[in-house]
Amino acid sequence: MHWVWIGTVALLAVEAAQAAEQQLAILDPVVVTATRFRERYDDKPVNVTVISAEDMQRSAAKTVPDLLAEQAGIHIHDFFGNNAATTTIDLRGFGISGTQNTLILIDGRRAADLDLSGVQWSALPLSAIERIEIVRGSGAVLYGDGATAGVVNIITRSPLAQPAGATFGLRAGSYGMKELSASASRAGERIGFSVAASNFESDGYRANNHNRQSTALADFRVLTGSGEVALKLGTDHQGIRLPGARQVQPSTGVNQLVTDRRGAQTPRDWSQRNGNRMNLDWRHDTALGELNVGLGWRDKEQRSYFDFGGFPDFRIAELDVWSFSPRFRATPALPGGKHTLVFGLDWQRWNYRLQRSNAVANIGRPFNTVDAQQESLGFYVQDSLAVSERLTLTAGLRGEQFEIDARDRFDAAAPGGAFGSGAPAGLQRESEKAWELGARYGLAAGAALIAKTGRSYRFANVDEIYETSALFTNQFQFLRPQTARHHELGLELRKGSAWMRAALFRMDVRDEIHLDAYTSGIGNTNLPPSRRHGLELEGKWQPLRPLSLSGSYSHIDARFREGVLPGGAFTATNVVIAGKTVPLVPRHKINLGASWAFSEATRLSLLATYVAKQFMDNDQGNTLGTQIPSYVVADVKLSHREGPWTLSAVINNLFDRKYYNYAVRSQFVADRYNAYPLPERNFGVSVEYAFR
């Protein structure tokens, strides 16, 4: 298989070389994440995919994860299919921990927290997004912790780039879904502002899955004589009911996927989340180069109730984080060619509090109160050297210091505290480094080879270290930082109206931070070494003026290289994982898209996705005997503009497939597993009116 991949890239390189005299018909977009500054990437050794505003308008996707799933190398795990309320994304084969290994940014700032609550995707409606940039296999030098597989940067619309006016929208669809949205913007020569708000509500495909989400955003921009000042504010609120899984156990004849697919296992469970954020950025051009200073703050309060079969657990988690990120870009006169030097620092401080009780009414006296402070400080430098018109070299280095200080106050006399315990206080300090070397060589006009190698790291978050001992007493179990080595070879080709990208990659991961489901009292742990390697192909082509075609293919082989999980008294013992496939990583994934413009005002778009079978979560030994089945899902969208009106109709899961993309095997019963079925065929319509 390795020789097939190499041969594929070699054949594409030959084709690229034959295009030597062709001129570019498609201009490269501006990309921020490549160097943390606004500049083109056509001379940088980075593997970038850009989802433009036009791509979003054509797509039948309803959320950001849906959009990302249309791209090569990205797979999503969606528990309920209700406006991405519990969706995680996985880039290049990390399974359920993909979110912790893919750094999600909003306007260059981290969107994920130091717990496992995940990204609040609904906090950014698609209408507020200018573009999404996906940088694969790169970003650890410039962004640090968690950029193992790559970086996804969501760029919001600037009011200075929008026409003045207002927009009102209404969307409705299956399962009682309805959404109201409104936005307005106004800009002068030097000052602009925009505001947007939305409210989404749906009963959900599953029983006990009512979801209500509301967001509000504001963006203020001021152009100075030599730069820009930007202030961005946001708030989001969510309340969702949690239906749990559908259980399957062949030995007892239980299969709720067949007998009660839409039912609820946990009819009393729910979660609420409120968040706010503020970002202030100052960009200033000096005689020596460009200075950018960013200051950020956000907070979150999350309340959740889990009945646990009559042993209830109610939690309030509160979090706030401050960040400070000054950086500078210069083009000094140094030997060897044209240098572009970027350097800066990233400082973050997180304050986290978790309160646990057995009922909402008793939270005033919690039996566990966990306080944790996490602080990180990273310094980085990266140099891009244009040796010639064809050859660009990049080298970067980052060092980061990390500290987490955690305490757990336990009150045995509190309601529900009789059988609990408190974790002894703990302190962990770590330091890690990332580096990267890259080269881009222009084979011809519109064609380039890219080669990269580097090192990344990830620190464990507070939810991953707050676990129990073998005697089920609470502990802070500090873990070693996860590290990875990366290698990648890629090819880009643009010829006429066609664009194509191919990449071979390999990641060798050590001390991977993940749940050990077989060993009671351990929780998350550092797993034995693993390797991910694969092939990504993606392209776009416009053979006719009204017709646009797109496609992508991903092959990912993710395996443990060695190791045995010891297990425990109530689980399987001595589970061999050496040579086994990492759970929740499909080996093959294909996306095929087509869009036909009947006129400038009317367009029909179709996307079909094939995802191969996957081993279930917790099945590191690959011994369950059944896997998540492969599936094909197709979506279609028809849109039409008439004056200030925009109308669209969407059919998701056109062929009414009964499928799921997340399931977890039981730790205790050999043939039992829980699956999370996703919506069957469903419909949506929307209407939007724009005042200009």
Side-chain angles (χ1 to χ4, degrees):
M1 181 60 72
H2 297 79
W3 292 109
V4 173
W5 297 350
I6 295 171
T8 300
V9 175
L11 287 172
L12 293 171
V14 170
E15 171 66 19
Q18 293 173 349
E21 301 304 320
Q22 294 289 332
Q23 297 299 313
L24 288 177
I26 304 174
L27 296 178
D28 286 302
V30 173
V31 172
V32 174
T33 53
T35 62
R36 295 186 74 164
F37 286 88
R38 301 182 66 89
E39 62 181 351
R40 304 174 70 85
Y41 83 90
D42 55 345
D43 63 344
K44 300 295 188 297
V46 290
N47 178 340
V48 176
T49 299
V50 177
I51 305 173
S52 66
E54 183 179 359
D55 295 329
M56 287 183 268
Q57 291 170 359
R58 293 178 179 177
S59 174
K62 296 176 286 187
T63 64
V64 172
D66 292 336
L67 275 171
L68 295 174
E70 298 176 5
Q71 314 305 314
I74 297 181
H75 180 53
I76 67 172
H77 305 289
D78 193 347
F79 286 69
F80 308 125
N82 196 345
N83 207 40
T86 53
T87 302
T88 64
I89 71 163
D90 178 22
L91 176 58
R92 290 187 168 177
F94 280 87
I96 196 61
S97 64
T99 297
Q100 284 76 52
N101 287 281
T102 304
L103 188 58
I104 309 298
L105 308 171
I106 299 176
D107 291 323
R109 285 194 171 81
R110 293 172 180 265
D113 295 321
L114 83 164
D115 56 10
L116 292 174
S117 60
V119 176
Q120 183 73 337
W121 298 108
S122 62
L124 252 158
L126 294 180
S127 59
I129 299 173
E130 176 185 320
R131 67 185 183 277
I132 301 173
E133 305 159 356
I134 305 166
V135 182
R136 298 173 178 84
S138 183
V141 167
L142 295 176
Y143 292 101
D145 174 32
T148 303
V151 175
V152 176
N153 194 9
I154 303 167
I155 309 298
T156 58
R157 296 179 183 272
S158 169
L160 297 175
Q162 300 181 57
T167 301
F168 296 92
L170 170 65
R171 185 163 64 104
S174 302
Y175 315 122
M177 183 271 289
K178 52 186 177 291
E179 182 178 25
L180 293 171
S181 61
S183 63
S185 64
R186 185 171 180 84
E189 292 185 2
R190 304 177 68 88
I191 299 176
F193 74 91
S194 64
V195 292
S198 66
N199 186 80
F200 171 93
E201 190 166 4
S202 172
D203 293 330
Y205 170 69
R206 301 278 306 282
N208 191 47
N209 194 212
H210 183 269
N211 181 20
R212 184 168 183 175
Q213 299 171 326
S214 60
T215 63
L217 307 170
D219 191 333
F220 303 89
R221 307 282 179 107
V222 177
L223 293 177
T224 64
S226 56
E228 180 184 67
V229 177
L231 174 63
K232 302 175 185 180
L233 307 172
T235 184
D236 59 89
H237 308 275
Q238 179 193 74
I240 185 169
R241 306 287 302 186
L242 304 173
R246 298 286 74 200
Q247 189 176 106
V248 179
Q249 187 177 343
S251 64
T252 60
V254 174
N255 189 342
Q256 293 178 337
L257 287 174
V258 174
T259 60
D260 189 13
R261 183 178 182 85
R262 298 178 62 178
Q265 181 177 345
T266 54
R268 298 181 178 180
D269 292 4
W270 54 267
S271 176
Q272 294 177 349
R273 174 171 172 160
N274 301 305
N276 304 281
R277 65 182 185 274
M278 176 188 69
N279 294 324
L280 179 64
D281 288 281
W282 175 51
R283 179 177 59 84
H284 183 67
D285 295 324
T286 72
L288 298 177
E290 180 180 342
L291 173 66
N292 195 313
V293 179
L295 177 65
W297 167 84
R298 59 190 170 92
D299 74 349
K300 178 186 72 176
E301 181 192 77
Q302 183 158 316
R303 296 172 176 247
S304 56
Y305 176 86
F306 301 96
D307 186 63
F308 288 131
F311 296 91
D313 183 274
F314 176 63
R315 301 183 177 206
I316 298 179
E318 298 171 296
L319 174 72
D320 70 80
V321 56
W322 287 90
S323 64
F324 179 60
S325 55
R327 53 197 183 274
F328 192 79
R329 180 180 62 179
T331 55
L334 298 173
K338 181 182 177 180
H339 293 260
T340 301
L341 192 65
V342 173
F343 58 91
L345 67 86
D346 291 313
W347 172 82
Q348 293 185 90
R349 180 174 177 85
W350 310 74
N351 295 297
Y352 172 86
R353 167 168 285 197
L354 170 66
Q355 299 176 81
R356 298 179 59 197
S357 183
N358 65 345
V360 176
N362 296 330
I363 196 63
R365 188 177 181 182
F367 51 75
N368 282 104
T369 301
V370 178
D371 289 291
Q373 290 78 42
Q374 177 178 305
E375 188 169 357
S376 63
L377 179 63
F379 298 88
Y380 60 90
V381 59
Q382 180 171 282
D383 184 23
S384 294
L385 171 61
V387 179
S388 66
E389 292 185 359
R390 289 179 177 263
L391 178 63
T392 301
L393 305 177
T394 297
L397 179 66
R398 181 187 188 96
E400 185 164 347
Q401 296 178 334
F402 163 92
E403 178 179 298
I404 184 167
D405 185 2
R407 298 166 301 283
D408 181 11
R409 298 196 304 275
F410 174 63
D411 184 354
F419 301 101
S421 66
L427 173 67
Q428 182 183 25
R429 293 189 179 97
E430 299 285 352
S431 61
E432 273 296 343
K433 63 180 182 296
W435 57 266
E436 186 174 301
L437 299 173
R440 182 186 181 101
Y441 183 75
L443 298 171
L449 280 174
I450 297 171
K452 296 187 299 181
T453 186
R455 183 182 193 271
S456 66
Y457 57 87
R458 178 170 95 83
F459 300 115
N461 62 49
V462 67
D463 278 351
E464 290 172 314
I465 64 171
Y466 185 55
E467 295 290 349
T468 60
S469 70
L471 299 177
F472 302 101
T473 59
N474 290 329
Q475 290 184 341
F476 293 112
Q477 299 170 349
F478 296 110
L479 303 175
R480 296 185 299 276
Q482 170 188 306
T483 62
R485 286 290 306 271
H486 308 255
H487 309 282
E488 184 169 338
L489 178 65
L491 171 69
E492 283 190 1
L493 172 64
R494 293 181 184 262
K495 185 178 180 181
S497 62
W499 169 81
M500 185 278 302
R501 180 184 66 85
L504 293 169
F505 69 90
R506 191 181 87 179
M507 283 187 290
D508 291 320
V509 183
R510 300 187 66 85
D511 290 323
E512 182 174 349
I513 300 169
H514 199 281
L515 177 69
D516 176 2
Y518 293 97
T519 308
S520 62
I522 297 298
N524 293 280
T525 189
N526 292 113
L527 292 177
S530 60
R531 172 173 292 169
R532 281 98 174 149
H533 58 90
L535 167 68
E536 296 168 347
L537 300 172
E538 64 177 345
K540 297 180 180 179
W541 183 35
Q542 190 171 352
L544 302 172
R545 183 176 180 84
L547 178 63
S548 299
L549 302 175
S550 62
S552 66
Y553 168 73
S554 309
H555 176 98
I556 300 177
D557 189 356
R559 295 180 183 271
F560 298 104
R561 299 175 63 188
E562 60 185 69
V564 176
L565 300 181
F570 305 103
T571 65
T573 57
N574 298 320
V575 180
V576 177
I577 64 173
K580 305 299 184 179
T581 298
V582 175
L584 298 177
V585 180
R587 186 160 296 191
H588 305 281
K589 176 174 171 286
I590 301 172
N591 290 301
L592 296 175
S595 180
W596 180 270
F598 296 99
S599 67
E600 290 189 3
T602 306
R603 179 179 293 275
L604 179 68
S605 301
L606 174 70
L607 176 74
T609 299
Y610 164 78
V611 178
K613 60 185 179 181
Q614 312 158 55
F615 287 100
M616 297 183 185
D617 200 7
N618 284 1
D619 192 17
Q620 284 88 347
N622 300 170
T623 57
L624 179 61
T626 186
Q627 300 181 47
I628 298 174
S630 61
Y631 58 88
V632 176
V633 177
D635 303 323
V636 62
K637 178 180 182 180
L638 178 65
S639 60
H640 176 74
R641 295 194 313 276
E642 189 69 37
W645 295 93
T646 301
L647 309 173
S648 66
V650 174
I651 305 176
N652 295 110
N653 195 0
L654 178 65
F655 301 115
D656 202 26
R657 302 302 189 196
K658 291 180 171 59
Y659 76 106
Y660 54 94
N661 57 32
Y662 180 78
V664 55
R665 72 169 298 178
S666 170
Q667 298 171 249
F668 312 112
V669 180
D671 67 335
R672 180 188 296 170
Y673 62 91
N674 285 336
Y676 292 77
L678 293 174
E680 298 156 58
R681 183 189 298 121
N682 59 93
F683 308 88
V685 295
S686 66
V687 57
E688 184 179 277
Y689 186 85
F691 297 90
R692 301 299 183 196

